[in-house]
Every structure is written in C-alpha cells, then in structure tokens.
Amino acid sequence: MTPQDGGSPAAAHGAAVDRIWQLFDDQARAIVVNSPPGAGKSTLVQRTAQRLAPGSQIPIITQTNDQADDLVRSLARSLANTTLAVGRLHRADRYSPPPGIPASNKIEDLDNCQIVVAPADKWAYVKEDHRWDIGIIDEAYQVSSAHLVRIAARFDRLLLVGDPGQLSPFTTAEEAALRATGCWPLATAAGTVLRTYPTTPTVELPISWRLPESGARVVADSFYAKPFTAGSTADERGLWTPIRAARDGHLDRVLETAIEHGWCLLELPEALLPRTDPECVEAIVDVVRHLLLSRTHVIDSDTRRPLRPADIAIGVTHRDQRERIRARIDEACADLGVPPREITVDTANKLQGRQFEVVVAWHPLSGRRDASAFHLESGRLCVLASRHRQACIVVARAGIREQLDAYPHSEPVWLGATTPDIDGWEANHRFLDHLADHSVRLGA
Amino acid sequence: MSVDVYLGLSAIERGRAVARAARRHVHLAAEPFVVVGYHLPGDPGAPIGLLYGTRREQPTVIGVGEPRDPKLRFAQLAQFAMALNGYVAQFVQPSASSRRPQDTRVRMGGPQLIVANQATAQWLCDLMGRRLRYLRSEGDWPVHPSLPTAGAHLSFFAGQRVPGSSLVLPLTEVLAQHWTTGQLAALNANIASQLAWISDPDSLEEAERALPAGPVPDPEWEALELHDAIKAYGKLVESRPAQANRPMIQAIDEALRPSWQACWHALDLLADLPPAERTRDRWSHDVHQWNRHTERVSAGTAYFRKRPKQLQVFRYLTRLERLTADLNREMALDDPLIMAGYVASGEALSGDVVAVDLSGRPPRLQVRPHLPFLRPIGTDVFWHPPQAADVRSPGRPPVVSLTMTGTTTDGDVTFNVTAGAIQKKLHHRLPRPGQQVVFSPFGPRDYHQDTLPAELPWTHADDQDGER
C-alpha cells in the first residue's frame, strides 16, 4: 500500500486508513468504519491496534468466540517479529486457546499483552472500573446494542468497524413483544452510536479486495448504500477450463457463464416446495461435481492453479438445507476421491467473514410461497453473494420475482424503529436484475 | 424433513389434527376467567361487547349500544372491571410471606385469564390495560373506581405474556402447541377451524364459516347486526334508556356465544392431556409474580411506565431469551413426543446402551443410535436419569454430562462422562447396558448473572421522558 501511486485502489484504501488514524489523533470519541465485503477490515483492525498498542493496552471486541480466535491467530502471525503480544480473554469453563497464545479468563493475567481480544459477552464480565482509553469493535454491525450497553462504560473511546451489508443481530425471543416496547435492543452497535451521536465521523473503505470486478459491481449496487469497487481488474482474476467436448449441456453452460461473467443464475422450473427441495439439492451437488471434474483453474494476478475442493463453498439459509447438502455432497465427493467435509457447506450466519474462490448459493427465496422478513433480509442474500473471489453460482427455483411482487407486505411497522439503508425487497429485485442476463434454465 | 412438517403432512393425509405433544405444557386453573369480545374495527379503544365469566353455562354479556360514546363505553366496561377485580381478589394472599417462589406455604392458586387468541390477549391486556390504568375516579372526568384497578391488573397480565407463563392463555396458540393441523399457521388463529381439525374434522367447512372469535368482528356482521343494534339503541335511548343496550347485548351474545363455547371446548381438550411435570414449577412462578403484583397494588406502588426505559427493555430481552430457552428445554425433557423432534433433527440422540465402562476415570459409554447421530466430536449432551434412581438430593434432579468422543465402525457413538457420575458413589445414575436412553442438548438450567450496568453508558442516548 503506497499512497504515492495516485488513483489506484491501494491509494484509495490508504487514504481511507489515513483518515481513520487522523480522526483518532484528533481525539474523536467514536469512529464508525463501514467496510464492504473483503475490504481489509480485519487488517485495518490489526494495523490500528498495532499502531496504538505501544502506549497502552488495546482491547478488541468481537461478536463470537470463533471470530476472536481467528483474530488472535492472525494478529499473532503479524506480530511475530515485534515486541507486541496478543492475548485472548475467555470464559471460565473449558476452552483451549489457539496454540502459543497467552489466554486467561482474568484480565489481570493479560497485563503483559498489548492487545487483548475477546467476544463482547466476555468483556461484559470484566469489572466495570477496569477502563481503557480506546476499544476496537470488530464486526460492529453484528455486535448488538444489548451487547454494547454492557461493555461500553469500560472504553472511553470506540472504533467501530463492520460491514453494514451483513446479517443484523437476531434473538431467539419473540420479536413482536420487544418491538412493542418502542425501543429496539438489537440495533447494531454502530447504529446505536450513530443514533446517539449523529455527527460521529464515518469512514467508508472504498475497495473490496476479495470480490472480483464483476462481483463488486453487482453486490455494491444491490446491497450497499455507499459505492465501492473491486481492488482487482477483470483480467487479474478469472477461472479457466481446458477446452473439451461438451458432455452435459446445462452444466457446461453454467460453468461457461460463471467463467465469463463471474455470476450464473441456475434456474430450476418453478415449484413451491418445502425448503429442503430435493431437486435443488441435486442441482447444487451436480454443479459442484461438475466444478470438481472440469479441471478448472483459478487465475489470481500472475498465478494460475487448479481449483481445489477447499476453494468451494455452498451457502444456504437453513440448517436442514445444510444437513441435506452435506450428506449428498460427501457422497459425491467420496465417488471422486475427495475427503468428506473438504467442501464448506454452511448457513449465511456461519459464512460471514469467510471467503472462497467459488461459491454456490442456494437462493433464500427459492421455491417459497411467502417472502417473510427472515428470507427478505438483504443481509442474508448479501452474505451468500459476497463470499467469492472468482465466481458465484446462484441456484433457485424460477418465479422469485413474481413471488416478491405478489406477496403482501404483512410485517408491522414499529414505532421507534430505524429504516434500514437498504430495503430487502428492493435489494432482491436489483440482484435478480443483474443476474437475469447470466441465467441458465434447467429443463427448459 | 422437520418433525413439524411431517406432522402437518400427516394431518392433511388423515384429514385430522395430529398430536404434537404428549403432555400438557400449560397449567389449567380450577376456575379460569374466560373473556371473548369485539371492538370496533380500527378502534381498539371502543369495545362493542364482551362475554366473560367463570361459569361455562352462564357468561355475563355486556354490550355498548353506541360504541363510539366514551361515557357509555366506560359505564358498560365498569361491569366487566368489577367482575374481573372480584375474580382476581380471591387470589390475593393475606400476608407478605410470598416473596420466595420456593416457599411451599404459598398457595398454588392464582388468577388465569383465558382468551380465544393472541390478538384478543393483546387487545385486552396491553391496549385496554393501558387505556384504563391511567383513568381517575375523581377530578374533572371521573370514572368508576373499578376501571383503573382493572387496568392495573390487565397491565400486569400484559407483562406476563411471556413464554412458559400460564397467567394468560391465548387458546389458539396453546392448541397449536399441542396439536398440528393441516392448515396454514395463519389459519390456526381461527379457533373454530382449529378445533374442528382437532376434534371434529367433518364440521370443518361449517367451522370455517363461523364468525370470528374477535377482537375484530366479521365485516358483514358489522354492516348488518352491529348497524341495526346501534340504530335500535338510538331509538330506545330517549324513551326507555334502561333497555337501550339490550339489542346490542343480544347481537353480541349471538355472535360470540359459539366462540365462548369453543374456548371451553378447547379447555376440555387440554384438560384431557396429562400435565407435564415442570408445568407445576412454572405455575408456582406465575403465582409468585401475581403475589408480587398484589403486594404492589396494596402498597399503592403498582406503577407502569408509558414507555419502558431502555435499560428495562434490555432486561426484558434477557428475560425473554431465558424464558424461551427454558420453555424449550423443559418441554423437551417433559415430553417424549417433543423430544422426538430433537432426535429427528439430530440434536438429540436416542439409542440403546451397548457398553458401560466403569473401570476408568471418567466412565465411558457406548450407545447404538436409533437414528444417525452426526454431531461433531466434542459435542456435549446430557442424560437425565429417571428420578427414582436418586434419593440423595430429592430437590434437585440429577443430570449427567457427557461428551461425544467418537463413532465406532459399527456406527455406535462413544461418550465420556464429564460431570454428574464420575465418582463411584454416583455410578448408579448411569444407564445400564441394554437400556434405552435419550441424550439431549438440554443440561441443567444455567444461571448467568446479568451484566447489565446500573446506568446507560455514553454510547446510548438517555431516555427522553422520565415519567412513569
């Protein structure tokens, strides 16, 4: 990242980072950093922590334990040649920290660590008189107001970094009962701070390093209020397959379309089916099998290498969909000599923050007769559509548009609720608009 | 396929609702107070009429001849308020010794409000409670003193509409908890058709044509019957004011009598189910809440906020999440049919014990699952030994914690005991070879101290209004 090469993505990113650090030095009480998918959010958190750390201890707040573990691992790697140490604060019961990382359930034991990482739930158990000058919230759009209220008093200033396009915090409790109170305890941490202090400086990271040019264009237009672009050009990324005789018409077309455009919508005949739609499962497994058999290569800048099973992920909406696909995909893999669980299959919740070369996404509205708020939430589709570095293949039943148009909006409007920047209904339509030109119909 | 989808499909195939639960997971009071009613469409503050009472054959019927006349509304509602206040007064504890829910001296009696559906519960408790509780019995616009008291009670009931509580039972929800019909979930809000699915499928078509159980009346009924009754009131009010409400009372009685009967029928169906074990504990908690409310009422401190403070909402979220989890857990542990759903979804394991190895520490178990158990190694599950096996601690039922350690080539699943039966003297808690067991993700109830601060931190805006 050299700021000198003006106009380049790196320069734009560098300028955004410089602005964040400037705001820090200007003693801003809170800074919100909006980061589109793969915009170097974790790197920013790391580098900021590193920059601030020599003087004082920097606490980092994550949403989940897994995120905290991932972060300490990568921090430990990048701090390997420095005098800084990263520690992991954790719960009292059984927990094994990543190897080589100092870990404790008492903050006092980690006094020697310049950076301490823990999920919000854990920070809430640290004594309230333990204060830090600055706290960094990673995933500030996943950490909820209910978490923030329990931890905020410990930090005089906050840097809130997160991806506004991701899934909002959710609860196992009935939402209506909470909404009726006129205040929403599951607002995002970033949203809460922005609501309390509307003048809070907000910095947008302008570049997605993960998404290819094709991906960034569609995802930014469909799911984000603020624009962003890809860090790579169209010819720096891509998939490549050896020329061969077509053996299976539609699967080859799926692959070709995905290679050419970075997107492919595989449309199955319209039908209303339970969410574990067996034909969708088969279609997804067929696509993945075809990907594995096609000897596809991944192009990334100057390198070209074969697409490995671990480069592929399948994104779904429900856990029972995951179980179905998991079982069938492992069978298919066994036939091809690929070890089980090599290919990632998971729900949008679990895929947040991860990246793969190719993602096969099961559209959340596929085959449904309702378009409930859960399925309409733009974050869900956005997460599924923004995990890939090369191409994303969306599998869905035809008729989603009609269903979006026909399904009455029956969600109540609540007092005191903030309007989301992006409307789920609109986002779904836009996304399908983009994909319409890259669709392959099965059985048509 | 999830068990709920399977049950729904079976119900369609059989043309009759199928059992979703083998136990009753709500408490049924010996003498519940049943209410069905209508309000003007679009104006929940304007009741048209109510049927209420504790006697199945003899509901009290009130009707507001001109529902748009607030004075008349309050005059008629005062009758309801007095009846409700009189009903709940029987359950007021004489002393303040009711602070502790585990106190066995506390009578198991508490008031119970039965309504046809969730919408009625919301209207009656949340909206009418709020509407009535701020009224004053003196000053410029005095109302009957029973109204604000009833408002306070209804507001209490509104605050207790949480998972696991039996103080207010919206019957369509409770029925859907215990039976799965073949109709869409939204249609289950109609108590008549839901009951037809459960007990008399032949009458389904007729039931679907039945007038709604409220709180919003049928538009056609509104256009004809309500219109006529209001007109009749207008004619009578000058000449024979004592008779003026009669036509409305009659119209309401005719329209809502079937729903009134349906509510009692639903209670009969529920009463036939054997009560789930933990229902009793939940009810004693309900009674405890009720006692605290009556103490506040008698001390004159039964305040309700117009809008809850933010910190209260955070606390409420924690409470709702805890109650939701507790209810799911307790229903599964109490009810084999509910637990079967967790076995089918792969979250719980049902199987036969193949081997128990007590030689090592910790003891190890090998179980042959009835359905594949595909959870990852390291998954924690819990075994609840049958109660009789333990006499040591009668108050607290024993729980054995296990961790999955692997799968054998035959598909058996192996476990290590991690708590509850490691010491030799506790080995009797473990199942024996050949015994059929269910290991579930539901452990002992865990208590977490809430970490909510006493004051809102700087990140959160202060509440605008400090009034209560």
Side-chain angles (χ1 to χ4, degrees):
Chain A
M1 251 181 272
T2 46
Q4 287 92 318
D5 48 0
S8 75
H13 179 83
V17 173
D18 285 345
R19 182 160 141 66
I20 296 164
W21 288 347
Q22 183 60 48
L23 287 164
F24 246 121
D25 296 341
D26 293 348
Q27 301 295 313
R29 185 157 204 199
I31 306 168
V32 173
V33 178
N34 288 333
S35 161
K41 174 172 60 67
S42 303
T43 325
L44 171 75
V45 170
Q46 283 183 26
R47 300 214 18 196
T48 308
Q50 276 167 259
R51 184 171 176 274
L52 299 168
S56 55
Q57 191 178 50
I58 303 295
I60 300 182
I61 300 107
T62 63
Q63 167 69 5
T64 65
N65 276 305
D66 287 343
Q67 286 167 354
D69 284 346
D70 284 349
L71 195 60
V72 285
R73 262 188 229 109
S74 71
L75 276 172
R77 269 198 303 275
S78 54
L79 296 178
N81 298 320
T82 67
T83 53
L84 302 179
V86 57
R88 172 78 160 86
L89 183 67
H90 64 84
R91 289 177 307 179
D93 48 359
R94 287 182 290 152
Y95 167 80
S96 37
I101 306 284
S104 171
N105 59 7
K106 290 197 192 69
I107 187 70
E108 293 78 19
D109 295 347
L110 298 171
D111 277 347
N112 294 329
C113 298
Q114 286 77 23
I115 301 175
V116 181
V117 183
D121 277 333
K122 179 58 203 177
W123 286 110
Y125 280 97
V126 172
K127 281 211 181 66
E128 221 174 305
D129 49 14
H130 215 113
R131 299 286 284 260
W132 288 268
D133 175 35
I134 288 167
I136 299 180
I137 300 187
D138 188 16
E139 302 293 2
Y141 288 90
Q142 287 182 42
V143 174
S144 72
S145 174
H147 282 121
L148 187 65
V149 73
R150 290 172 161 85
I151 59 172
R154 292 164 188 78
F155 314 107
D156 295 335
R157 301 198 288 154
L158 282 173
L159 174 66
L160 301 113
V161 187
D163 179 353
Q166 303 239 314
L167 287 163
S168 309
F170 64 97
T171 173
T172 49
E174 194 200 344
E175 273 197 21
L178 285 164
R179 289 282 192 191
T181 60
C183 132
W184 183 230
L186 291 163
T188 62
T192 306
V193 169
L194 285 169
R195 195 173 172 158
T196 313
Y197 304 100
T199 54
T200 301
T202 305
V203 180
E204 315 284 332
L205 294 183
I207 307 295
S208 169
W209 303 102
R210 173 196 306 148
L211 289 170
E213 193 274 325
S214 58
R217 195 160 33 82
V218 172
V219 170
D221 184 55
S222 308
F223 303 111
Y224 286 85
K226 296 277 163 59
F228 65 88
T229 53
S232 59
T233 57
D235 36 309
E236 278 176 287
R237 293 275 180 88
L239 295 172
W240 174 91
T241 43
I243 298 164
R244 61 203 191 93
R247 263 180 294 169
D248 189 331
H250 83 269
L251 288 176
D252 277 321
R253 269 187 293 136
V254 168
L255 192 53
E256 271 166 31
T257 314
I259 289 174
E260 194 176 340
H261 303 288
W263 294 99
C264 179
L265 172 66
L266 175 58
E267 258 188 333
L268 278 71
E270 186 167 349
L272 297 176
L273 279 167
R275 62 194 190 198
T276 49
D277 186 349
E279 286 174 38
C280 264
V281 173
E282 286 315 307
I284 290 168
V285 172
D286 284 346
V287 167
V288 173
R289 188 191 293 117
H290 193 69
L291 271 172
L292 293 174
L293 284 172
S294 62
R295 286 176 287 156
T296 300
H297 282 61
V298 177
I299 302 164
D300 204 337
S301 311
D302 305 331
T303 59
R304 201 177 95 182
R305 62 172 178 81
L307 180 76
R308 293 180 305 244
D311 295 328
I312 303 173
I314 302 171
V316 299
T317 304
H318 294 281
R319 285 184 301 170
D320 47 3
Q321 295 176 334
R322 181 186 66 198
E323 310 305 329
R324 284 309 143 99
I325 294 196
R326 179 85 270 161
R328 288 288 296 116
I329 207 87
D330 282 349
E331 277 173 47
C333 284
D335 295 343
L336 300 173
V338 174
R341 298 193 178 256
E342 275 287 288
I343 291 172
T344 304
V345 184
D346 229 322
T347 55
N349 288 351
K350 295 284 172 65
L351 290 178
Q352 295 194 92
R354 303 189 63 185
Q355 67 176 354
F356 304 89
E357 296 298 330
V358 178
V359 172
V360 182
W362 187 341
H363 197 292
L365 292 171
S366 172
R368 292 193 71 85
R369 64 188 305 160
D370 61 346
S372 67
F374 174 85
H375 299 93
L376 267 183
E377 190 184 343
S378 63
R380 197 168 308 280
L381 186 56
C382 179
V383 167
L384 296 177
S386 60
R387 301 301 100 201
H388 62 282
R389 289 173 53 82
Q390 304 290 353
C392 177
I393 299 167
V394 180
V395 179
R397 289 272 170 194
I400 292 182
R401 270 173 192 288
E402 291 72 19
Q403 172 201 339
L404 280 169
D405 290 341
Y407 193 70
H409 180 87
S410 61
E411 305 294 331
V413 177
W414 298 104
L415 290 178
T418 43
T419 345
D421 284 344
I422 296 291
D423 175 65
W425 187 88
E426 169 83 16
N428 266 286
H429 262 305
R430 273 170 179 260
F431 184 64
L432 288 173
D433 283 343
H434 284 290
L435 261 57
D437 298 336
H438 316 314
S439 75
V440 172
R441 280 173 183 274
L442 189 65
Chain B
M1 187 172 6
S2 86
V3 166
D4 279 329
V5 174
Y6 171 74
L7 292 177
L9 292 173
S10 320
I12 292 172
E13 197 177 69
R14 291 182 209 176
R16 175 181 265 278
V18 292
R20 188 173 171 268
R23 302 279 185 279
R24 168 162 47 78
H25 297 279
V26 293
H27 173 84
L28 293 184
E31 198 184 54
F33 191 83
V34 183
V35 190
V36 289
Y38 282 160
H39 64 71
L40 280 186
D43 187 359
I48 302 169
L50 298 170
L51 269 70
Y52 58 82
T54 54
R55 280 185 299 173
R56 180 181 204 145
E57 298 75 27
Q58 254 185 327
T60 310
V61 188
I62 59 165
V64 186
E66 174 48 275
R68 288 161 292 190
D69 176 354
K71 255 194 177 161
L72 185 63
R73 235 184 251 168
F74 287 140
Q76 297 299 312
L77 275 179
Q79 293 182 44
F80 167 72
M82 281 188 285
L84 178 71
N85 296 347
Y87 168 72
V88 299
Q90 318 166 47
F91 304 102
V92 174
Q93 292 285 327
S95 74
S97 70
S98 49
R99 276 277 165 202
R100 289 164 20 237
Q102 64 269 38
D103 190 340
T104 47
R105 286 170 302 167
V106 175
R107 274 194 320 181
M108 282 296 278
Q112 186 174 50
L113 209 55
I114 305 281
V115 290
N117 47 40
Q118 195 69 268
T120 305
Q122 207 230 343
W123 169 52
L124 205 63
C125 302
D126 294 56
L127 297 178
M128 291 310 285
R130 171 180 290 244
R131 179 77 191 86
L132 299 178
R133 73 187 183 219
Y134 299 112
L135 298 174
R136 292 174 180 278
S137 51
E138 62 247 349
D140 287 345
W141 302 97
V143 296
H144 194 276
S146 64
L147 286 172
T149 312
H153 290 318
L154 289 172
S155 295
F156 160 74
F157 283 115
Q160 300 304 319
R161 288 177 54 223
V162 292
S165 168
S166 294
L167 286 165
V168 185
L169 293 184
L171 288 170
T172 52
E173 290 246 319
V174 178
L175 289 175
Q177 211 177 10
H178 294 82
W179 285 275
T180 303
T181 65
Q183 57 186 357
L184 285 175
L187 297 174
N188 280 340
N190 177 353
I191 191 169
S193 69
Q194 204 185 5
L195 280 173
W197 271 95
I198 295 169
S199 59
D200 186 9
D202 295 334
S203 71
L204 191 58
E205 268 184 48
E206 189 190 328
E208 279 168 356
R209 284 197 302 273
L211 285 175
V216 180
D218 176 66
E220 225 164 278
W221 181 86
E222 187 201 345
L224 299 172
E225 315 283 330
L226 179 68
H227 181 79
D228 289 351
I230 293 178
K231 247 166 73 182
Y233 172 83
K235 272 188 201 149
L236 289 170
V237 71
E238 296 295 331
S239 53
R240 280 180 293 162
Q243 312 285 313
N245 283 317
R246 281 282 169 79
M248 186 62 86
I249 291 175
Q250 203 182 344
I252 279 288
D253 195 4
E254 272 171 30
L256 281 173
R257 190 63 79 121
S259 299
W260 169 266
Q261 295 297 353
C263 287
W264 289 94
H265 182 194
L267 289 175
D268 288 344
L269 290 172
L270 289 165
D272 286 343
L273 290 171
E277 204 185 313
R278 290 168 178 81
T279 304
R280 200 185 147 83
D281 295 345
R282 291 198 294 271
W283 177 247
S284 68
H285 181 75
D286 286 342
V287 173
H288 171 67
Q289 294 285 354
W290 162 251
N291 290 334
R292 286 184 50 188
H293 165 69
T294 57
E295 280 167 23
R296 283 194 296 260
V297 170
S298 57
T301 54
Y303 302 128
F304 298 90
R305 261 175 213 289
K306 277 186 190 145
R307 277 187 72 166
K309 288 197 149 209
Q310 278 192 71
L311 279 173
Q312 289 176 317
V313 178
F314 288 120
R315 211 169 289 129
Y316 185 49
L317 169 68
T318 315
R319 175 172 170 229
L320 277 184
E321 286 184 339
R322 180 174 51 80
L323 290 175
T324 307
D326 282 354
L327 181 63
N328 287 340
R329 169 185 172 279
E330 293 182 359
M331 281 176 68
L333 291 176
D334 277 348
D335 191 329
L337 202 48
I338 302 266
M339 185 63 98
Y342 292 96
V343 173
S345 71
E347 285 164 90
L349 169 142
S350 161
D352 299 308
V353 178
V354 179
V356 180
D357 176 7
L358 298 174
S359 61
R361 209 177 150 101
R364 288 196 298 262
L365 269 77
Q366 186 172 337
V367 180
R368 183 153 303 159
H370 297 143
L371 286 173
F373 186 68
L374 302 172
R375 305 295 298 164
I377 287 172
T379 299
D380 290 323
V381 290
F382 301 90
W383 156 246
H384 294 254
Q387 290 277 18
D390 210 277
V391 283
R392 241 169 253 279
S393 51
R396 220 183 285 156
V399 184
V400 178
S401 312
L402 305 134
T403 295
M404 179 180 166
T405 50
T407 314
T408 67
T409 43
D410 306 340
D412 289 358
V413 187
T414 54
F415 294 95
N416 273 355
V417 175
T418 50
I422 294 182
Q423 295 167 41
K424 208 166 195 160
K425 63 176 182 189
L426 296 176
H427 282 174
H428 65 277
R429 287 178 176 176
L430 292 171
R432 297 180 203 301
Q435 192 172 337
Q436 189 181 322
V437 292
V438 173
F439 293 166
S440 69
F442 304 107
R445 224 168 111 176
D446 39 320
Y447 293 93
H448 285 295
Q449 157 213 350
D450 194 359
T451 47
L452 204 63
E455 280 171 42
L456 279 178
W458 61 273
T459 46
H460 288 66
D462 236 349
D463 295 288
Q464 292 301 309
D465 56 344
E467 56 187 334
R468 11 179 210 233

